[in-house]
């Protein structure tokens, strides 16, 4: 038995169909998702307070994306920010975030000095896959990040 010879011609229609089917794969490979969360330890000190986060390229200092929300007094995680497709394999990143706590004064909606508003910087390395990072409340590990949000 012989196999018939098929003339496999790439028509414009087949080319377009192939490109359309391959497009989602190309888009998916552009970057990896980051989910940045605060655990239940933030609830007691900061429940109901505004929180802002920024994804920063650690090498250039460029702010790539920002997000904002409110710290939950009863949920775990108490806050969660998604940065879809934001991480490149081998990239070095930081998440800067602050909570508008206004302890002893300060201005609502403004990032005030660390003693007034709690603020942190967290280093992250992209490993070539989606990252979920969960932070715990640690007032002793604060660092100035207000300049990121100006």
């Amino acid at each position: 038995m012989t196999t018939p010879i098929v003339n496999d011609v790439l028509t414009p229609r087949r080319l377009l169909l192939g490109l359309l089917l391959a497009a989602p794969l190309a888009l998916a490979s552009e970057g990896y998702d980051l989910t940045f969360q605060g655990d239940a330890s933030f609830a007691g000190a900061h429940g109901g307070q505004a929180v802002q986060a920024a994804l920063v390229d650690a090498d250039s200092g460029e702010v790539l994306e920002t997000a904002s929300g409110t710290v939950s007094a009863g949920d775990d995680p108490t806050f969660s920010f998604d940065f879809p497709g934001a991480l490149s394999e081998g990239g070095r990143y930081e998440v800067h975030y602050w909570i508008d706590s206004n302890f002893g004064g300060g201005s609502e909606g403004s990032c005030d000095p660390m003693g007034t508003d709690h603020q942190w910087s967290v280093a992250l390395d992209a490993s070539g896959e989606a990252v979920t990072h969960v932070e715990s409340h640690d007032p002793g590990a604060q660092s100035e990040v207000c300049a990121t949000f100006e």
Side-chain angles (χ1 to χ4, degrees):
M1 174 186 252
T2 60
T3 306
I5 298 174
V6 177
N7 188 4
D8 195 15
V9 177
L10 185 60
T11 63
R13 182 176 180 193
R14 288 183 63 203
L15 176 63
L16 180 60
L17 181 59
L19 290 173
L20 289 174
L21 292 173
L25 296 175
L27 292 175
S29 67
E30 288 185 13
Y32 301 95
D33 297 346
L34 168 64
T35 300
F36 184 82
Q37 300 176 331
D39 70 12
S41 64
F42 285 91
H46 297 292
Q49 296 174 342
V51 56
Q52 291 190 1
L55 178 62
V56 178
D57 181 303
D59 294 324
S60 69
E62 177 186 1
V63 175
L64 303 174
E65 293 187 49
T66 60
S68 60
T70 302
V71 178
S72 172
D75 294 333
D76 187 10
T78 56
F79 59 86
S80 183
F81 299 116
D82 293 317
F83 299 98
L87 304 179
S88 296
E89 186 171 357
R92 292 181 342 104
Y93 301 92
E94 295 175 347
V95 174
H96 295 181
Y97 70 107
W98 67 281
I99 297 175
D100 198 9
S101 40
N102 293 324
F103 295 127
S107 301
E108 188 171 331
S110 296
C111 187
D112 299 308
M114 286 191 308
T116 305
D117 287 337
H118 282 179
Q119 47 192 291
W120 297 268
S121 176
V122 178
L124 301 172
D125 290 324
S127 62
E129 58 186 35
V131 173
T132 297
H133 181 88
V134 180
E135 273 294 295
S136 294
H137 185 248
D138 184 358
Q142 292 186 68
S143 57
E144 290 282 347
V145 299
C146 286
T148 303
F149 299 93
E150 293 177 344

